[in-house]
Amino acid sequence: MNKGKTTSSITLYFKCLSIQLRSAMQYKTSFILTAIGQFLGSFTAFLGIHFMFMRFDSVDGYTYNETLLCFASIIMSFSLAECFARGLDRFPTIISNGEFDRILVRPRGEIFQVITAKFDFTRLGKLVQAVIVFCYAIPTCGVDFTPDRVLCLVLMIICGTFLFSGVFVVYAFICFYTTEGLEFMNIFTDGVREYGKYPLAVYGKEILHITTYVVPFALIQYYPFLYLIGRVDNPMYIFLPILALLFLIPCMILWKIGVRHYRSTGS
């Protein structure tokens, strides 16, 4: 029974994905221009790194090409989360216009419906930038990409995508009580994309501790990155991004609390 329901949900998810992709392709020029805008918007972060290393040979001992690896992994994770969990980012609108009332009376799970309500494929403009940076950094960073290091990089990206999606869930939870989104949450989304340009340890021990034990961005960025570039030899660092997925448990608990205490806006 559960297996059949899971299969049905996966099928429905990809059907929603296909429908919205076809819808976006109806306005190809608008889609392409918006994707280019996303590319250029995040390009300023890359320029910040480039200009920094024009002045300094290294930052806290990390070279330009090593830093680009770190930057590209964060950009790729963030862009994938924005693309496939965009419905959570627009949750204030879903709350304020009464759409969530309709979601509650439908047979599918609430969070499933919210996520599939909106896929923003233009965010893939940032993904293209990450791929370009990877294409430059991987052959020039001096890292020997053995299978274990390839696995490490893949886990950084995949688990990072889920971690950012979890932060979007927390953002949606807050909207249950405020109706409108709170700008301070951008510290944990766009802010991480910005300060994730560099290994998190460069910002000091306090920031590293917060991003390790509170919102575990360091587990999908800094620690596996150390293994990736050969600063540590402990293979357990490869699997630290999986440990970061434990953050999704309190995220889902908060979501359930929010749904339980939801009161219609009356829209």
Side-chain angles (χ1 to χ4, degrees):
M1 182 72 174
N2 290 334
K3 183 178 179 180
K5 187 175 180 180
T6 300
T7 303
S8 176
S9 296
I10 294 173
T11 302
L12 181 59
Y13 176 87
F14 283 105
K15 189 173 183 63
C16 292
L17 191 72
S18 174
I19 290 171
Q20 294 195 39
L21 180 59
R22 290 199 302 270
S23 175
M25 290 298 100
Q26 295 301 310
Y27 305 93
K28 293 184 178 63
T29 302
S30 175
F31 174 82
I32 292 171
L33 291 176
T34 305
I36 291 173
Q38 292 291 335
F39 177 92
L40 295 176
S42 63
F43 189 65
T44 57
F46 167 76
L47 290 178
I49 297 174
H50 183 72
F51 291 140
M52 174 70 76
F53 280 93
M54 286 180 64
R55 178 65 179 83
F56 303 101
D57 293 331
S58 64
V59 174
D60 199 29
Y62 299 100
T63 66
Y64 176 59
N65 293 324
E66 288 175 345
T67 302
L68 287 182
L69 275 180
C70 189
F71 165 72
S73 69
I74 284 290
I75 289 293
M76 186 169 287
S77 296
F78 185 70
S79 62
L80 289 171
E82 276 198 311
C83 177
F84 297 108
R86 185 63 176 172
L88 292 166
D89 196 33
R90 61 182 290 271
F91 194 67
T93 302
I94 293 175
I95 287 284
S96 61
N97 66 12
E99 186 179 344
F100 195 70
D101 293 8
R102 296 193 296 272
I103 287 175
L104 288 173
V105 299
R106 293 170 181 162
R108 294 291 172 179
E110 298 89 358
I111 197 166
F112 176 86
Q113 294 184 63
V114 172
I115 289 175
T116 56
K118 177 66 175 177
F119 296 106
D120 192 348
F121 297 101
T122 61
R123 304 288 172 166
L124 297 179
K126 296 177 183 177
L127 181 66
V128 172
Q129 182 188 73
V131 171
I132 292 173
V133 173
F134 271 132
C135 289
Y136 170 77
I138 287 176
T140 60
C141 65
V143 174
D144 181 16
F145 276 90
T146 53
D148 57 329
R149 286 189 166 86
V150 172
L151 175 62
C152 182
L153 184 59
V154 169
L155 289 177
M156 289 170 66
I157 295 169
I158 294 176
C159 296
T161 301
F162 281 101
L163 183 57
F164 277 114
S165 299
V167 174
F168 289 148
V169 172
V170 176
Y171 173 74
F173 161 75
I174 294 173
C175 294
F176 278 116
Y177 298 93
T178 63
T179 304
E180 296 295 331
L182 298 179
E183 291 299 321
F184 86 89
M185 284 299 296
N186 290 333
I187 296 173
F188 302 103
T189 53
D190 296 281
V192 171
R193 184 196 66 196
E194 288 299 315
Y195 62 74
K197 295 185 296 186
Y198 304 99
L200 291 172
V202 307
Y203 301 104
K205 291 183 178 180
E206 292 79 7
I207 296 296
L208 184 59
H209 288 161
I210 291 172
T211 54
T212 300
Y213 302 110
V214 182
V215 184
F217 290 116
L219 298 184
I220 58 97
Q221 193 243 37
Y222 175 65
Y223 296 112
F225 173 68
L226 292 180
Y227 183 86
L228 194 66
I229 63 175
R231 295 287 182 94
V232 297
D233 298 323
N234 188 344
M236 292 302 296
Y237 276 62
I238 299 174
F239 303 101
L240 286 179
I242 297 176
L243 185 63
L245 297 182
L246 293 176
F247 178 72
L248 297 179
I249 296 175
C251 291
M252 297 309 300
I253 291 174
L254 290 176
W255 172 264
K256 292 295 184 182
I257 292 172
V259 171
R260 192 178 305 121
H261 291 86
Y262 170 70
R263 297 293 181 270
S264 175
T265 59
S267 301

